[in-house]
Amino acid sequence: MNEHIILRSGGKTLKIENKKLCFTASVFRAVNHPLRQRMLALLDEQKKISLIEVQRRLKLVQSVASHHLVILSKAGVVKTTREGKYNFYLINRQRMAQVAKITEELS
């Protein structure tokens, strides 16, 4: 059984699944960091990029770049593809569209 949260504001009532709200909150937590926002801007500009290129462009050590990309990946904000011996990262546009839709419902 899905639990719902009822939100009321300005005469408007919104019923939203708790699961959707938690999902959206996890995405907001992931992107609410200046470095991860810079990473997303770089990914948006490049479409897909390797960890090495993220490190080079943002002047980061490997462990820091990897740590933040893992956070974005776990939240579903970025996807990983493997080409040969390299992993490439790209924005999960479908997931971001889902978040935009839920955010719109909440506003």
Side-chain angles (χ1 to χ4, degrees):
M1 180 165 94
N2 287 336
E3 293 187 31
H4 290 81
I5 294 175
I6 308 290
L7 302 171
R8 292 181 179 89
S9 177
K12 183 179 173 184
T13 300
L14 177 65
K15 182 178 178 181
I16 188 163
E17 286 181 43
N18 190 34
K19 185 178 177 180
K20 283 185 182 179
L21 200 56
C22 289
F23 154 76
T24 304
S26 72
V27 171
F28 286 151
R29 279 191 300 274
V31 300
N32 188 27
H33 187 282
L35 179 55
R36 292 191 288 267
Q37 290 168 8
R38 288 175 47 211
M39 287 177 161
L40 288 170
L42 182 61
L43 283 167
D44 189 46
E45 174 188 303
Q46 298 297 312
K47 304 308 175 214
K48 74 176 182 178
I49 194 166
S50 70
L51 175 62
I52 294 167
E53 190 66 15
V54 170
Q55 288 175 245
R56 189 182 71 74
R57 292 282 197 89
L58 299 179
K59 297 176 176 53
L60 302 171
V61 296
Q62 185 273 334
S63 61
V64 171
S66 183
H67 170 75
H68 288 283
L69 285 167
V70 165
I71 291 170
L72 291 169
S73 291
K74 284 185 177 181
V77 176
V78 299
K79 297 189 284 189
T80 307
T81 62
R82 188 160 185 91
E83 295 180 19
K85 63 180 183 174
Y86 296 102
N87 285 328
F88 287 86
Y89 297 87
L90 58 151
I91 293 175
N92 184 344
R93 305 236 180 242
Q94 182 181 7
R95 179 64 51 101
M96 297 308 287
Q98 291 170 335
V99 171
K101 183 178 180 216
I102 294 168
T103 304
E104 188 176 309
E105 290 174 10
L106 293 172
S107 61

